[in-house]
Amino acid sequence: MSQSTYARSLAARYAPEDLQQRLRAALCEEALDPDRLDCDDIAAIDQLHVGGREASRRLLERAGVEPGARVLDLGCGTGGSARLLMAEYGLQVTGIDLTAGFVGVAGWLTRATGMAAAGDFVCGDAQRLPFTEGAFDLIWAQHVLLNVPDMMRVLLEAQRVLRPGGRILVHEVVAGGAEDALRFPVPWADSPRHSHLLEREALIERFTGHGFRAAFVDDITADGLRWRQKHSARERRDGGAVLGPALIFGEGFGTMASNLMENLAADRIRILQAGFVRR
């Protein structure tokens, strides 16, 4: 499969064409104004990575990011993490995602939450970034590399757009120690076609072999499993809730969430947070 064909198939997998209309209708049903929101209003559809907002805050505080840094949010999705970086840490964020539907939603929700001046969003490929050399101080990547078949291209592009000494912060799903196969579907893939998990050491070696040094690598699997168990219990209890991850992932989200939890518990996957510095 060619790179462009793969990119199109991945983008199509993530967001239905009517995503923005679906989300606006759900917000109206909850008596919220879709054009005047705050981040708490949309947290249930906005923080979809393992660990949610607390995991994002943990990574930022572990890295010690300075206010005002120029950040590229790689695989920004609907922009939830970008808005957290803007609102809570005073960062200037550009988000990029393959999925045009996600980029449209990210722009709308950022305007609706009053943060349009602190960020912008573009549709594009992490393997061909449309930015100049040294444009960013920091690259933020949450649950992105697991969809990338050729990580070398991404790292070369990351090197190019980061200033010397710039950093990439990673919150990633990696292969665990279990020998049995991953159970699908999961939130990032319905089959092995879109799932490209590396083991911990292989992930680190990709970075250190392509112009980066590791500043820290933390395994947060136990925290991630507790988070998923808590949210699964809440989702079962609030099965009729209008706002929730199923609006993004579709009716199969319950199965995805259950498989994610089982894969974590069985050590088929692990969750890492890491910081790498451009040499």
Side-chain angles (χ1 to χ4, degrees), residues 40-59:
D40 288 339
D41 289 335
I42 54 177
I45 57 171
D46 210 31
Q47 304 289 331
L48 303 175
H49 46 276
V50 176
R53 288 186 286 188
E54 288 309 309
S56 298
R57 292 173 181 134
R58 182 196 183 282
L59 180 55

Side-chain angles (χ1 to χ4, degrees), residues 125-202:
D125 189 341
Q127 298 173 97
R128 293 191 180 92
L129 293 173
F131 308 111
T132 59
E133 293 182 10
F136 299 100
D137 303 304
L138 178 72
I139 292 177
W140 178 262
Q142 286 189 294
H143 299 8
V144 174
L145 301 176
L146 45 67
N147 283 139
V148 176
D150 187 354
M151 199 168 139
M152 182 183 73
R153 288 177 183 261
V154 174
L155 294 180
L156 289 173
E157 282 291 270
Q159 272 190 296
R160 184 181 64 79
V161 302
L162 275 175
R163 64 166 174 80
R167 293 179 289 171
I168 181 166
L169 300 183
V170 175
H171 178 195
E172 195 57 64
V173 182
V174 298
E179 294 185 359
D180 54 326
L182 193 65
R183 175 161 291 188
F184 290 99
V186 285
W188 66 90
D190 297 324
S191 71
R193 177 189 186 194
H194 288 142
S195 185
H196 303 280
L197 304 185
L198 296 172
E199 294 181 350
R200 173 194 170 110
E201 295 308 317

